[in-house]
Amino acid sequence: MAQQLRGPGAQLGDVFAWLSALYFRGKLTYARAFASPPGRAAGILVITPERGLVPPETRVTIDDLHEFSQVDIAAGGDRYLTPLLRDAAALSSRVRKDTQVVLLGSIATGKYVDAFLTIFGARLVFPGDFVGRGDMSRGGLLLRSAREGKELAYVPVEGAQRRGKRPPRLGVAHKA
């Protein structure tokens, strides 16, 4: 991965999966298993610190990662929010008004949720099983769901309980 990043670049999805291990790998695997985009909308988009929403196949280099590292997404500044809101609005215009937009990112904080709610409102949903789970647990849940071919149940973000008591551990998955 390091050689690719220093050379011609690597796919953003692969880079984020490599950097974050289980969590992003789970999100990407799950999204690839269950994305069903309507019409001309992209099925999978990745939130970036300064480029908005981009397909996971987008090539990035080490220089791109350095640029990403200069943006504090938790602060919610214009450098992060302007492209994110631009791309969310573009996505919203390409899908029907009743199309659900599934967020597989963190739902406990407002760093993504607040921006997306302004664009998608009640159409923004997330897996209800995320509540109370940390990153690694969500990643494991997503990988298991994809492997078993069982899509998770979604709930609207708007008005949802986004923090809660930690659910029981996933336990060991048994192969059939």
Side-chain angles (χ1 to χ4, degrees):
M1 183 61 65
Q3 288 176 333
Q4 290 180 50
L5 286 168
R6 284 186 176 88
Q11 290 188 7
L12 178 67
D14 294 340
V15 173
F16 280 12
W18 179 66
L19 291 171
S20 70
L22 182 63
Y23 183 39
F24 196 86
R25 186 168 49 100
K27 289 194 291 187
L28 192 56
T29 300
Y30 181 88
R32 286 177 172 154
F34 298 111
S36 57
R40 52 195 167 91
I44 303 170
L45 294 169
V46 177
I47 300 167
T48 64
E50 65 170 0
R51 297 188 186 156
L53 301 170
V54 299
E57 299 80 22
T58 302
R59 296 194 81 72
V60 293
T61 65
I62 194 76
D63 292 334
D64 296 314
L65 295 185
H66 285 295
E67 286 181 34
F68 289 170
S69 73
Q70 301 303 309
V71 180
D72 181 4
I73 62 172
D78 287 342
R79 192 168 168 199
Y80 162 67
L81 285 175
T82 298
L84 185 66
L85 290 170
R86 174 202 64 214
D87 293 348
L91 175 62
S92 182
S93 73
R94 286 193 299 269
V95 298
R96 293 188 350 219
K97 296 298 177 198
D98 62 346
T99 299
Q100 288 185 326
V101 176
V102 179
L103 176 62
L104 298 178
S106 175
I107 46 103
T109 66
K111 62 184 171 183
Y112 313 124
V113 173
D114 295 344
F116 287 149
L117 278 174
T118 64
I119 304 292
F120 301 115
R123 297 183 298 156
L124 184 64
V125 298
F126 72 99
D129 289 340
F130 273 20
V131 175
R133 292 189 188 278
D135 289 352
M136 292 301 126
S137 181
R138 288 193 308 264
L141 175 67
L142 292 169
L143 282 172
R144 180 176 294 180
S145 296
R147 183 179 57 244
E148 294 173 355
K150 296 179 182 173
E151 192 167 5
L152 297 168
Y154 305 119
V155 297
V157 172
E158 197 170 62
Q161 175 185 342
R162 295 177 7 212
R163 291 187 187 95
K165 188 178 130 185
R166 175 174 275 152
R169 289 183 168 262
L170 291 173
V172 177
H174 298 285
K175 294 185 179 181

